[in-house]
């Protein structure tokens, strides 16, 4: 009898240990170690040889001078948002991990993408749903394809046998947590199973030049389920975000070896599937008949995409001993910094006020250029005087109360002009860029200001 090898794995971060310990030395979580069998005796053998798959054998070592540096080939999907977040389309031989909350629409989106690729042989592997359930969803989406194939299986070796018969050009796995390799003796979803199944699929993707999408689960604290090494193994990590109570979803790039990591795509969940939102600024700004205090529009940029978003603030007299500071979609520490600047440089007594800040539409923004709009919304609510709804703002606020310059101001101004804004208030220190814009005969008035005090005098 051959000896069975086992080890202890941390269920939070995937750290491996030869013995059980109470506290993980990697992530410092308690009682997360579980014993798992790694190898079934001598059954582990050289598997997944893909040399004959595309009829090309490769040398193991090659001079870097002999490697062609041509641009990578991509499959261009009919979904412009997916093309954007992937850096211009699906790269051949790439392995992409997509994670998100249950019920957010991951399966619907990638079923839709697979069905839209009429000229690409796509294999959709499901370990969670039956063929009938997937067919019902495909009927609801309303897209037909002759090159879309289903496989409901969780054993990786059976999956690879079917792949060798079909020779697909794109593989979608839903989900990686349901797959099980016969070479690891533990349940699906365990650290060692996820790592082994992902490694087998990675080997297949790289040796056959076939792109693979892995749909993954997330834990209750929002991180991707499974070992951290899973994120290192793949080429691209996408996060599908959004509140299930809102219709809008955001596909965000966390890691991308073939493009920018600052991209995002916006979708609307409808009864017919996911609809790509081509002009998100219109949905992120509330259409109002009357002007209300505490609202200001910010011109921000996510990746290469300019967005106009609505910042909302409510300042009320504090009833309790300690004033409240509550935010949604904005950084709490950034809000405290802005309040301190207004208190010190402007003489506004926010220390005795409750302050609530919200970014409309359920979106989260990290761009510091929305500082100016948040300051305007705070001052507007403090004075109970509305800001003109045809004004928008782009600027970072420094600790000394100065309005700092922001990058790519031309794109922000162009987006504001396109949506019909009359004035955009920016930093005076964007002088070089402003000169170019003014010279171009812009239809929007640009107001350059240097300090928060000037902003208050200008608006109120």
């Amino acid at each position: 009898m051959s000896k069975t090898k086992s080890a202890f794995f941390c269920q939070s971060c995937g750290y491996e240990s030869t013995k059980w310990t109470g506290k993980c030395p990697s992530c410092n979580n308690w009682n997360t170690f579980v014993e798992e069998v790694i190898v079934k005796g001598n059954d582990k053998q050289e598997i997944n040889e893909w040399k004959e798959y595309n009829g090309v054998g490769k040398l193991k070592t090659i001079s870097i001078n002999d490697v062609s540096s041509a641009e990578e080939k991509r499959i261009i999907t009919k979904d412009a948002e997916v093309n954007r977040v992937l850096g211009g389309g699906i790269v051949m031989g790439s392995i992409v991990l997509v994670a998100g909350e249950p019920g957010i629409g991951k399966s619907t989106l990638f079923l839709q993408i697979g069905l839209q690729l009429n000229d690409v042989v796509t294999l959709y592997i499901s370990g969670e749903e039956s063929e009938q359930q997937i067919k019902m969803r495909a009927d609801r989406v309303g897209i037909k394809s002759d090159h879309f194939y289903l496989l409901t299986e969780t054993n990786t070796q059976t999956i690879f046998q079917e792949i060798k018969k079909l020779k697909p050009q794109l593989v979608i796995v839903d989900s990686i947590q349901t797959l099980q390799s016969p070479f690891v003796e533990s349940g699906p979803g365990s650290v060692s199973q996820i790592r082994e199944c992902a490694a087998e699929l990675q080997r297949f993707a790289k040796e056959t030049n076939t792109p693979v999408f892995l749909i993954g689960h997330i834990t209750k604290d929002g991180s991707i389920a499974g070992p951290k090494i899973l994120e290192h193994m793949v080429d691209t990590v996408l996060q599908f975000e959004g509140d299930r109570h809102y219709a809008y979803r955001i596909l965000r790039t966390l890691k991308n070896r073939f493009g920018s990591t600052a991209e995002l795509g916006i979708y609307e969940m409808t009864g017919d599937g996911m609809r790509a939102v081509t002009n998100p600024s219109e949905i992120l700004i509330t259409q109002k008949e009357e002007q209300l205090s505490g609202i200001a529009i910010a011109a921000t940029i996510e990746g290469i995409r300019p967005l106009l978003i609505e910042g909302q603030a409510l300042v009320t007299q504090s009833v309790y001993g300690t004033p409240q500071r509550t935010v949604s979609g904005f950084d709490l520490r950034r809000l405290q910094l802005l309040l301190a600047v207004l208190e010190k440089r402007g003489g506004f007594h926010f220390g005795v006020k409750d302050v609530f800040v919200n970014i409309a539409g359920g979106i989260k923004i990290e761009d510091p250029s929305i500082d100016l709009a948040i300051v305007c919304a705070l001052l507007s609510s403090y004075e109970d005087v509305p800001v003109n709804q045809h004004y928008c703002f782009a600027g970072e606020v420094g600790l000394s109360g100065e309005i700092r310059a922001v990058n790519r101001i031309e794109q922000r101004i162009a987006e504001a002009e396109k949506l019909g804004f009359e004035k955009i208030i920016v930093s005076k220190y964007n002088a070089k860029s402003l000169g170019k814009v003014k010279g171009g005969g812009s239809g929007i008035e640009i107001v350059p200001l240097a300090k928060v005090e000037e902003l208050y005098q200008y608006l109120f």
Side-chain angles (χ1 to χ4, degrees), residues 73-77 83 88-92 117 120 169-170 211:
K73 291 182 181 176
R74 294 178 185 260
I75 299 172
I76 307 300
T77 72
N83 291 338
I90 305 168
V91 177
M92 302 302 291
L117 293 167
V120 175
Q169 295 164 280
L170 174 66

Side-chain angles (χ1 to χ4, degrees), residues 235-249:
D235 297 312
T236 306
V237 180
L238 305 178
Q239 184 99 0
F240 207 32
E241 307 172 350
D243 193 325
R244 277 183 289 175
H245 304 293
Y246 284 93
Y248 298 107
R249 307 280 188 268

Side-chain angles (χ1 to χ4, degrees), residues 35 42-43 45 61 87 111 133 148 153-154 162 182 189 210 259 266 273 317 326 357 363 418 423 428 430 452:
E35 185 178 15
N42 290 328
D43 290 345
Q45 51 186 319
T61 55
L111 177 69
Q133 286 174 292
F148 189 85
E153 179 59 60
T154 57
E162 292 297 317
T210 306
I266 299 181
Q317 192 66 35
T326 306
V357 169
I363 193 170
K418 189 173 78 176
K423 290 186 182 181
K428 190 172 81 172
N430 274 116
V452 171

Side-chain angles (χ1 to χ4, degrees), residues 79 81 109 112 247-249 266-270 272-279 283:
D79 191 321
E81 302 296 298
L109 176 62
Q112 196 172 297
Y248 298 107
R249 307 280 188 268
I266 299 181
Y267 291 90
E268 182 184 7
M269 173 72 99
T270 66
D272 303 328
M274 291 287 179
R275 184 183 72 84
V277 177
T278 52
N279 191 0
I283 63 164

Side-chain angles (χ1 to χ4, degrees), residues 41 82 103 135 137 139 177 191 230 256 309-310 321 327-328 384 448:
V82 165
K135 174 63 175 168
R137 184 184 284 127
D139 290 342
Q177 277 80 10
V191 169
L230 180 62
N256 193 358
I309 58 163
E310 184 178 299
V327 295
S328 175
D384 202 18

Side-chain angles (χ1 to χ4, degrees), residues 300-403:
T300 181
I301 282 190
E302 284 282 328
I304 59 170
R305 161 182 273 185
L307 290 176
L308 264 74
I309 58 163
E310 184 178 299
Q312 302 174 340
L314 178 63
V315 179
T316 61
Q317 192 66 35
S318 181
V319 179
Y320 308 105
T322 306
Q324 297 181 70
R325 303 283 183 261
T326 306
V327 295
S328 175
F330 189 68
D331 185 18
L332 177 60
R333 285 171 294 187
R334 192 85 192 162
L335 172 63
Q336 291 167 338
L337 182 149
L338 295 176
L339 291 175
V341 169
L342 289 173
E343 185 116 14
K344 174 79 173 175
R345 306 295 173 192
F348 299 98
H349 300 295
F350 283 99
V352 293
K353 305 280 189 182
D354 288 340
V355 178
F356 306 90
V357 169
N358 175 47
I359 303 297
I363 193 170
K364 290 179 183 172
I365 297 291
E366 295 176 357
D367 185 0
S369 68
I370 68 169
D371 285 357
L372 200 57
I374 297 297
V375 164
C376 288
L378 289 167
L379 293 173
S380 170
S381 182
Y382 185 92
E383 298 287 357
D384 202 18
V385 175
V387 175
N388 191 318
Q389 60 186 2
H390 298 296
Y391 291 7
C392 67
F393 306 87
E396 182 184 350
V397 176
L399 288 177
S400 60
E402 84 276 17
I403 301 171

